[in-house]
Amino acid sequence: MERRHAAAYIVRRGYTDRLMKKIFFSRCMMGCSLLSLPFLLSAAGAIAFSQSGMERQARPLLLVVNQGDRDLSLIDPGAGKQMATVLVDGVTGHEVAASPDGTTAYVPIYGSAGVGKPGTDGSKISVIDLASHKIVHTIDFGHGVRPHCVIYDKNSGMLYVTTELDKTISIIDPKTLKIVGSVPTGQEQSHMLALSRDGSRGYTANVGPGTVSVLDMKARKTLAIIPVSTDTQRIAVSRDDSMVFTADQTKPQLAVIDTATNKLKTWVPLPSVGYGTATTLDGQWLLVALRTTHQVAVVDLRSMQVARTIDVAEGPTEILMNPDGKSAFVSCTRSKQVAEIDLGQWKMARLIDAGDAADGLAWAK
């Protein structure tokens, strides 16, 4: 095999083993004059570039919105370190979503208020280029809507954003960055949104009314409004789309909604009042943030009982599963950190520094 073809083959196949490189260079040196040295250095650079490129592609970023610092943390989950922060241009961002190609982040700017409380009314979304760490566009609603939860739906290719003051889910085309429609929720304070796997159904936790709205995302209409409590928070859908979970804020219990009937199915007693939830990738467990006791409860979805609790840091809020299914990440607002939970050993593996009032989480793959 000619030397140039050998180099191209090694780079193309991504062989990075030291032994392969040693054999390659030793053989080339045996039959090469000093005139071939530039070629060898070029080949070595190509191999190194190929390695670094593959490492970058294989390493996703964990995005964390820090309310107190008004910025976005870019965290290397493998190293467990914050790589950079980006100001989100407003008071203040709570949640974040990333484009499927991992290049862009979207941060709605909610305002200075708590849900249903006096304060400023956010009216825009910051669009951030993750490579340059800069805001490259601002989506403006034109009036105060308190935009909060944002989801990039891969099924429709649209961005969905809860716009509380309009009692809607706003639909944004990420290609044009234009608002192209909305879905009414029929309720105030539609704070968080969860979607079915195919994107056909949406479910919002309506905080102050204490209800869940069931939405037809394709027909853009409300299908049902389910009473849960006088105050509810956060929402998640089971992996098989059969159940929806939201936490009662008046009692330590979790509401389980049957998606076939759109009715409350049962309650799961919790050690303390729950908050954010997420199901494991195998669909067997539901993790529930317990903010006051600084723990995460693990609910067995077969028995509908808490199987164990895991100590984390102060103020666990949102939970995000690692795409590898081996761990989960929990934003801890009061400790300014993100806790990583080992799902094999059911314990906290480490704490990663983020920012003040770390809240919303997303993957940029």
Side-chain angles (χ1 to χ4, degrees):
M1 185 182 291
E2 294 183 7
R3 290 189 298 273
R4 65 178 181 275
H5 292 162
Y9 180 75
I10 287 173
V11 172
R12 183 169 64 249
R13 289 292 303 272
Y15 289 159
T16 58
D17 185 85
R18 292 183 179 179
L19 180 60
M20 286 298 299
K21 288 189 282 186
K22 183 176 180 180
I23 293 172
F24 168 66
F25 284 114
S26 64
R27 288 185 176 177
C28 284
M29 289 300 292
M30 287 174 65
C32 296
S33 66
L34 290 175
L35 294 176
S36 300
L37 185 58
F39 159 75
L40 294 175
L41 294 176
S42 176
I47 292 172
F49 177 81
S50 177
Q51 278 184 263
S52 62
M54 286 187 294
E55 287 172 0
R56 284 195 299 271
Q57 290 177 0
R59 182 177 296 169
L61 287 175
L62 176 63
L63 307 180
V64 187
V65 183
N66 306 302
Q67 289 192 38
D69 290 332
R70 303 175 190 175
D71 65 15
L72 179 70
S73 289
L74 279 58
I75 290 175
D76 179 343
K81 293 182 180 179
Q82 180 175 265
M83 298 170 59
T85 59
V86 183
L87 294 176
V88 299
D89 188 31
V91 182
T92 181
H94 295 192
E95 299 293 326
V96 60
S99 58
D101 62 7
T103 62
T104 308
Y106 308 89
V107 180
I109 307 303
Y110 184 77
S112 64
V115 185
K117 296 180 180 179
T120 61
D121 302 329
S123 62
K124 64 185 181 180
I125 298 174
S126 294
V127 182
I128 298 170
D129 177 72
L130 293 175
S132 65
H133 304 163
K134 294 180 179 179
I135 294 174
V136 293
H137 190 83
T138 298
I139 302 169
D140 196 335
F141 290 93
H143 64 285
V145 294
R146 296 192 180 184
H148 188 257
C149 178
V150 56
I151 295 177
Y152 197 119
D153 176 34
K154 296 179 182 179
N155 299 285
S156 64
M158 294 290 113
L159 277 173
Y160 294 122
V161 185
T162 58
T163 35
E164 289 182 13
L165 297 186
D166 281 355
K167 303 179 186 178
T168 62
I169 306 298
S170 291
I171 305 170
I172 296 170
D173 184 341
K175 294 179 181 179
T176 63
L177 297 176
K178 301 293 185 182
I179 301 165
V180 296
S182 64
V183 183
T185 67
Q187 296 281 273
E188 296 182 349
Q189 301 171 27
S190 299
H191 198 56
M192 298 296 290
L193 169 70
L195 296 178
S196 60
R197 285 177 301 170
D198 64 3
S200 65
R201 291 289 180 269
Y203 303 89
T204 61
N206 310 312
V207 178
T211 59
V212 168
S213 294
V214 183
L215 312 174
D216 184 327
M217 303 304 288
K218 294 181 179 180
R220 301 183 181 182
K221 64 181 182 180
T222 305
L223 295 178
I225 295 174
I226 306 167
V228 175
S229 171
T230 56
D231 190 354
T232 189
Q233 262 286 5
R234 307 281 158 151
I235 198 156
V237 183
S238 63
R239 294 289 167 180
D240 63 1
D241 290 338
S242 66
M243 295 176 287
V244 167
F245 313 99
T246 189
D248 187 349
Q249 298 302 285
T250 68
K251 297 178 182 178
Q253 58 183 6
L254 186 77
V256 182
I257 292 168
D258 184 344
T259 59
T261 62
N262 289 332
K263 293 181 179 180
L264 183 63
K265 178 180 180 179
T266 189
W267 292 98
V268 177
L270 299 171
S272 62
V273 172
Y275 207 70
T277 55
T279 54
T280 56
L281 299 192
D282 60 12
Q284 295 183 15
W285 311 92
L286 180 76
L287 274 59
V288 185
L290 307 176
R291 302 188 81 191
T292 58
T293 57
H294 319 315
Q295 294 175 315
V296 169
V298 181
V299 176
D300 185 336
L301 292 179
R302 293 160 295 191
S303 65
M304 289 297 172
Q305 294 181 345
V306 174
R308 58 180 60 84
T309 57
I310 302 167
D311 293 332
V312 287
E314 292 186 63
T317 299
E318 190 157 302
I319 303 172
L320 181 68
M321 293 296 158
N322 193 324
D324 66 10
K326 297 178 181 179
S327 62
F329 292 87
V330 185
S331 59
C332 300
T333 58
R334 298 189 187 102
S335 74
K336 307 179 184 180
Q337 295 169 309
V338 175
E340 181 179 4
I341 294 176
D342 184 327
L343 298 178
Q345 300 186 40
W346 296 114
K347 67 177 184 180
M348 185 175 69
R350 59 182 171 179
L351 288 169
I352 303 170
D353 290 335
D356 186 20
D359 190 359
L361 303 173
W363 286 107
K365 304 178 204 175

